Amino acid sequence: IVRDAAHIDPDDPTDVARERLETLSGNPEVARRVASALGWSNEELPVAELFWGIRELLEHLASVLPLVVVIDDVHWAAPTLLDLIGHLVSNVDGARILVLCTARPDMLEVNPGWSDGPSAGRLILDRLPADASAQVLENMMGGVELPPRVRDTVLRGADGNPLFVEQLVSM
């Protein structure tokens, strides 16, 4: 997220990344904390300070334009990242920030209370019905007709997941 916002290439030297981060944040103390969180500094700071720096950076960005922060696959996230997301959602009152996370349904089995709270919401997407999955497959095939056996195998294997339809077709 920070690399994208600050136009930092993964190949950029650390000093260039820190300089761009400071320019982006407009605050050397915020940049110092974010750089530490990202491993661009040897300085070790308490987690609360790192969270503060990241929140301040995002609020600064949101003061210019509304900000959407998308974090995919949080079911793989370390507990500290989940805590950071919770901190952001609970503490950015008044800032024009939407934090959008995607996760597999089993995330809630491991962390049942995650994404609860007055500033949080949860949208659970069920499997696609059979006719919708068939439509996804048809759209992907672009008019090419699959043999019925192959079509049924793809739809059964995808089990209502449009990504799986795509992956099975590509295989």
Side-chain angles (χ1 to χ4, degrees), residues 3-171:
R3 283 184 189 280
D4 285 348
H7 306 290
I8 299 169
D9 243 11
D11 297 329
D12 284 340
T14 303
D15 57 330
V16 170
R18 285 194 310 255
E19 183 180 304
R20 290 186 182 159
L21 172 59
E22 189 166 331
T23 300
L24 177 71
S25 71
N27 181 331
E29 288 305 310
V30 168
R32 187 174 135 242
R33 285 160 176 83
V34 175
S36 177
L38 297 176
W40 298 343
S41 158
N42 292 330
E43 185 176 16
E44 291 185 25
L45 298 167
V47 170
E49 287 192 40
L50 303 178
F51 284 14
W52 174 85
I54 293 167
R55 181 177 50 82
E56 287 291 317
L57 175 63
L58 296 178
E59 286 178 347
H60 173 71
L61 295 174
S63 71
V64 178
L65 287 172
L67 181 64
V68 177
V69 177
V70 179
I71 305 170
D72 285 323
D73 297 330
V74 295
H75 51 273
W76 298 115
T80 305
L81 178 56
L82 296 177
D83 291 344
L84 171 61
I85 294 167
H87 170 79
L88 292 172
V89 170
S90 299
N91 292 290
V92 293
D93 292 335
R96 300 174 306 167
I97 300 174
L98 171 66
V99 179
L100 177 66
C101 300
T102 64
R104 294 183 183 160
D106 59 336
M107 166 79 173
L108 296 176
E109 293 169 14
V110 177
N111 298 293
W114 197 79
S115 77
D116 285 342
S119 299
R122 186 181 299 160
L123 175 64
I124 297 176
L125 301 177
D126 293 325
R127 289 180 170 89
L128 291 177
D131 60 329
S133 292
Q135 185 65 53
V136 169
L137 178 58
E138 185 179 316
N139 292 345
M140 287 189 63
M141 296 309 298
V144 173
E145 193 137 342
L146 289 174
R149 199 184 92 214
V150 173
R151 181 182 181 280
D152 292 345
T153 300
V154 168
L155 294 175
R156 193 172 40 259
D159 192 28
N161 184 324
L163 174 63
F164 292 175
V165 171
E166 181 180 323
Q167 290 177 333
L168 289 168
V169 167
S170 71
M171 288 172 43

